[in-house]
Amino acid sequence: MKSFRSSRRYMKGVLALFFCCTVAASAQAVDFLPVSDVHTGMEGHVDTVVTGDDISSFNMKVLGVMKDRGPSGDLILAKFSGPVIDETGGIVHGMSGSPAYIDGKLVGAVAYGWGFADGTIGMITPIEDMVKLWNIPYEKNLANPWRDSQLIPLGMPLMAYGFDPSALKFMKEKLPEYEYSTYDTAAADGDDVAKPLKAGGSVAALLVDGDLKLGAIGTVTYVDKDKVVAFGHPFLKRGSVGYFMHNASIFTVVKSVDSGFKLGSMGAEVGAVTEDRGAGIAGTSGHIISGIPMAITVHDLDMNRTREAGVKVVEADELTPTLSATAVYNFLSKTLDRNGEGTSTLTLKIQPRDVNIPPLERTNMFYSNDSIGIKSVDEFYNIIDVLMNNRFINYEIAGIQVEVSVAKDKKTAMISDATLSPAVASPGDTIVINVKLQPFREEPVTKEIFFTVPKDQPYGEVTLEVRGGGVVPLPYLLEKQKYNLTDEIIRRLKTYKDFDEFYKELRNTDTNNQIVVEILEDGVSMVEDSDKADTKGAKIDVADETKIPGAVPKGKSKENIPGIDDKDNKEPYKAKINTEYVIRGDGQFVLKIVSPADRDKEKARLAREHAKKLKEQAKAEDESSTKAAKTETAANTVKKTSEAPDNSPDKTPEAPTNTPDHSADDSNDSVN
């Protein structure tokens, strides 16, 4: 698998140095006008970008102060006018953060408007509330929950570059709580050139960067050396964050009946957004954060084509699982260029920042008859989710590598039969289980699995389950303390005592292409495949041909092995092998655990019975062969008798009939 290329990081490091040298030129010394000194009738102007990077201005007149009306405190109600407002149809999304000045003093940032209303009326967030974001904790931001369905922040739309429409739909379904519209955008000339941020200029806060870009575009309100505040309202209101701060350039303003928006490109990375709260976003220019880099490779085996991509996503417990899964799904969708069925193999490597924690590496197979793209990334999403939201440690991810191969063929197989030899064993013995698979539209195949009985296994009957790695046995489904997630690997997770136990289970969880044999603590009936309601459990035979129909309860121990405690919470033992199919179906049978002496007696008895059966079978075959030989001899005798000439004296042999030969005469004929 190709590792994430570092050239992008190198370029961003260069940009960081560039910014350290140039940011001082963009620092602005400007006085503030406190909201307490703002009165009805005051007039001023607002700076913003309408096209490209050029800053334009429009007029502002104060209508009043709305006490404690915003998420961070007071809001200033104002009316806007001028040629820019006439051109745009009013204040629009993307103007959020546009600095408002009265008599040369900075009042705050244009931040809110009303939907389906006069676009010339809006609200301004006071600048003194915004600059407090540089000195968090700011309890008023943290403690004042705020929501108004009519008051609309002017930076809500997300600009998306490089995304497939189906990928954006996938993302929205995973994050329904974020009610943001998403618009496709393009790249602009000069996007790769870093430019100093300045008040009134455009800025973008990105969640995804690289070959994909996803973020919100707004306006810079104020710059103090390397410190920046913008937007005037929250982006996602996630408190202390690590978004990617980028330049932005505006293509045009798109008018709308509801509220128009600036359509722009997201340019070079120039810093980091560190706070996202009620009064706006704040950050530092010249400081580039790594986020979580991802290297993604997709192989379309049917079309014989490969796509490689590199992105980085923000590191946030709630956002990272969805953003990273969306990135993988996006490149799957673009590479396949189709919807529908298929079989995929996904190889994943997650590198933690803590060098004392080993990487999580996993390969799994998936099949779907309607959306192989979504099926392929579901488990990936769940793994990232449980890692970043585990209750034990702060699991920080240094990098992710994903490689996916997809074909349209249905590579599935059903467990149709299995035999156990022998059906009796002692603790520590190894038994052989032959599992017969019926692949989809292929000839049956048989796989051999060696299962070792635990050395501390108590005597008595135990239930063995043979199943596909993605099939969940009933006892696990009924456990009370389980992760309420949709993917098979996560549904198998239970409550763990510490991170080491949790991480070990996650790394070793069965895969869909494995055949698994394990001891069940409780007997269960055949478990139907969750994907198909009509799937039947496997028929299970044992070597002595004793049928084990339906559910088999676990037998109670007759006696314990000397020196071994019969622990109720003993970890189940299992054996598993990989196959080239997604395995479906399962079944159970009984294995009798006895002492070595009793095992040998039982095996000897079974051997005698088997030998007796073979002897009887051989005798029957000999008798059948002898009878067949006699029948054949008699038949041959009758045949020879019927074919012999009849020379009896009462019958005169017929004389041969002589036919005249006229050929010589014919040859001498002539025509006179």
Side-chain angles (χ1 to χ4, degrees):
M1 186 185 303
K2 191 168 183 178
S3 60
F4 187 76
R5 294 183 293 272
S6 60
S7 59
R8 196 182 307 276
R9 291 186 186 177
Y10 171 76
M11 287 301 299
K12 289 173 180 176
V14 173
L15 296 180
L17 292 176
F18 165 79
F19 238 80
C20 289
C21 298
T22 60
V23 73
S26 64
Q28 299 166 334
V30 62
D31 292 334
F32 296 164
L33 182 65
V35 67
S36 58
D37 293 341
V38 175
H39 305 289
T40 301
M42 284 184 164
E43 296 184 356
H45 75 277
V46 177
D47 290 342
T48 198
V49 174
V50 177
T51 304
D53 300 323
D54 297 330
I55 296 176
S56 302
S57 298
F58 55 88
N59 301 324
M60 174 201 72
K61 183 176 182 179
V62 175
L63 300 179
V65 176
M66 306 168 70
K67 293 294 185 180
D68 202 28
R69 188 64 180 83
S72 60
D74 298 341
L75 292 176
I76 300 169
L77 183 65
K79 183 175 179 63
F80 308 103
S81 61
V84 171
I85 294 298
D86 294 339
E87 178 185 349
T88 61
I91 54 175
V92 297
H93 296 309
M95 286 185 179
S96 57
S98 298
Y101 301 92
I102 295 177
D103 295 332
K105 295 182 179 181
L106 180 59
V107 177
V110 175
Y112 300 97
W114 281 288
F116 301 102
D118 186 353
T120 63
I121 305 295
M123 281 67 70
I124 296 170
T125 298
I127 186 61
E128 62 260 41
D129 285 341
M130 296 182 67
V131 295
K132 290 176 183 178
L133 296 174
W134 292 332
N135 299 297
I136 295 299
Y138 176 35
E139 294 187 3
K140 199 168 188 179
N141 276 326
L142 296 171
N144 185 16
W146 173 87
R147 186 174 184 86
D148 191 317
S149 59
Q150 293 180 326
L151 207 59
I152 300 178
L154 299 179
M156 289 181 67
L158 291 177
M159 296 293 115
Y161 173 78
F163 283 88
D164 186 86
S166 62
L168 294 176
K169 179 182 178 182
F170 173 85
M171 181 186 70
K172 289 181 179 180
E173 290 174 351
K174 291 288 187 182
L175 294 172
E177 64 273 26
Y178 295 107
E179 300 174 355
Y180 278 73
S181 300
T182 306
Y183 298 99
D184 290 329
T185 189
D189 293 339
D191 272 353
D192 56 344
V193 178
K195 305 167 188 175
L197 297 177
K198 55 185 177 181
S202 297
V203 66
L206 268 64
L207 305 176
V208 181
D209 190 15
D211 291 331
L212 299 174
K213 290 185 178 181
L214 180 72
I217 292 179
T219 305
V220 177
T221 306
Y222 179 64
V223 178
D224 183 2
K225 297 181 180 178
D226 62 343
K227 295 184 293 185
V228 180
V229 289
F231 283 25
H233 61 68
F235 174 20
L236 302 178
K237 203 175 184 183
R238 295 187 53 81
S240 296
V241 295
Y243 306 151
F244 315 124
M245 184 184 289
H246 282 242
N247 288 134
S249 182
I250 306 303
F251 295 125
T252 187
V253 172
V254 179
K255 296 182 179 180
S256 171
V257 176
D258 181 6
S259 180
F261 62 92
K262 293 182 182 181
L263 181 64
S265 68
M266 295 164 282
E269 186 174 11
V270 294
V273 177
T274 56
E275 297 295 333
D276 177 8
R277 301 179 186 268
I281 64 171
T284 305
S285 61
H287 173 61
I288 306 300
I289 57 177
S290 62
I292 299 178
M294 298 181 63
I296 303 169
T297 304
V298 180
H299 305 285
D300 184 339
L301 302 181
D302 298 320
M303 301 299 292
N304 193 28
R305 59 190 176 197
T306 295
R307 180 189 291 260
E308 295 181 343
V311 301
K312 69 174 184 176
V313 298
V314 295
E315 190 169 5
D317 294 349
E318 183 180 358
L319 298 176
T320 301
T322 294
L323 296 176
S324 57
T326 299
V328 177
Y329 175 72
N330 179 80
F331 290 114
L332 264 171
S333 182
K334 282 181 170 289
T335 304
L336 297 181
D337 194 24
R338 68 172 178 85
N339 298 318
E341 73 275 16
T343 303
S344 68
T345 300
L346 186 146
T347 298
L348 166 68
K349 182 178 181 180
I350 301 173
Q351 183 67 52
R353 284 204 174 96
D354 189 340
V355 296
N356 296 314
I357 301 176
L360 191 153
E361 300 183 62
R362 179 173 174 82
T363 298
N364 203 355
M365 283 184 68
F366 307 93
Y367 172 76
S368 174
N369 60 3
D370 56 3
S371 180
I372 186 57
I374 292 178
K375 186 70 173 179
S376 298
V377 301
D378 272 348
E379 180 181 89
F380 171 79
Y381 167 86
N382 286 330
I383 290 175
I384 302 296
D385 188 38
V386 296
L387 281 174
M388 299 199 69
N389 292 285
N390 79 84
R391 63 188 180 91
F392 300 108
I393 67 170
N394 179 23
Y395 186 92
E396 296 182 337
I397 299 176
I400 300 173
Q401 297 178 38
V402 180
E403 185 168 2
V404 194
S405 298
V406 186
K408 198 170 185 178
D409 293 342
K410 185 175 182 178
K411 299 293 290 184
T412 64
M414 179 67 66
I415 296 177
S416 61
D417 197 7
T419 57
L420 168 65
S421 177
V424 61
S426 294
D429 286 355
T430 297
I431 59 176
V432 180
I433 300 170
N434 290 301
V435 181
K436 186 177 181 181
L437 301 177
Q438 179 57 64
F440 181 74
R441 294 179 180 174
E442 295 180 15
E443 292 298 318
V445 295
T446 299
K447 301 291 184 178
E448 191 175 62
I449 304 179
F450 295 90
F451 179 81
T452 300
V453 179
K455 293 182 179 180
D456 60 350
Q457 182 65 43
Y459 298 154
E461 292 183 343
V462 296
T463 302
L464 285 185
E465 163 131 331
V466 180
R467 61 175 176 82
V471 177
V472 185
L474 185 59
Y476 299 107
L477 291 175
L478 297 180
E479 287 180 347
K480 293 181 180 179
Q481 294 181 326
K482 294 185 67 65
Y483 289 88
N484 186 23
L485 300 171
T486 59
D487 193 84
E488 290 87 348
I489 177 178
I490 307 304
R491 287 202 302 259
R492 292 295 306 275
L493 295 179
K494 55 185 179 182
T495 301
Y496 300 97
K497 63 181 181 181
D498 55 29
F499 179 79
D500 289 341
E501 184 182 23
F502 157 76
Y503 200 57
K504 178 182 177 182
E505 176 72 12
L506 190 60
R507 295 177 71 204
N508 297 326
T509 299
D510 310 328
T511 59
N512 297 324
N513 62 309
Q514 289 178 330
I515 302 173
V516 180
V517 177
E518 64 183 336
I519 294 177
L520 293 183
E521 292 302 319
D522 296 295
V524 295
S525 299
M526 302 298 184
V527 179
E528 292 185 347
D529 189 332
S530 59
D531 290 339
K532 295 287 185 180
D534 59 351
T535 299
K536 296 181 179 179
K539 179 186 71 176
I540 302 297
D541 296 338
V542 292
D544 61 359
E545 299 184 352
T546 302
K547 303 294 183 181
I548 310 296
V552 181
K554 178 187 175 184
K556 295 183 179 180
S557 300
K558 296 179 180 178
E559 55 180 314
N560 289 334
I561 302 172
I564 300 295
D565 293 331
D566 187 5
K567 298 180 180 180
D568 292 336
N569 60 350
K570 176 171 60 64
E571 181 180 353
Y573 279 74
K574 67 172 65 174
K576 50 190 175 183
I577 61 170
N578 294 325
T579 74
E580 60 273 31
Y581 305 100
V582 173
I583 304 299
R584 293 176 170 175
D586 77 329
Q588 304 82 35
F589 48 75
V590 163
L591 175 65
K592 186 182 294 184
I593 307 299
V594 298
S595 67
D598 290 341
R599 172 204 61 196
D600 294 341
K601 290 179 182 178
E602 182 67 13
K603 290 175 70 174
R605 183 187 68 79
L606 293 175
R608 288 194 299 271
E609 290 183 358
H610 184 62
K612 182 179 179 181
K613 288 181 180 179
L614 290 178
K615 185 176 180 180
E616 291 174 351
Q617 182 179 355
K619 181 179 179 181
E621 290 176 354
D622 288 343
E623 291 176 351
S624 177
S625 298
T626 301
K627 184 177 180 180
K630 289 180 178 179
T631 302
E632 183 178 0
T633 300
N636 290 336
T637 301
V638 172
K639 182 178 180 181
K640 289 180 180 179
T641 302
S642 63
E643 292 177 352
D646 190 354
N647 296 322
S648 56
D650 58 341
K651 205 164 191 180
T652 303
E654 294 183 2
T657 302
N658 295 323
T659 303
D661 186 359
H662 300 289
S663 60
D665 295 337
D666 292 341
S667 64
N668 292 327
D669 286 346
S670 60
V671 178
N672 295 323

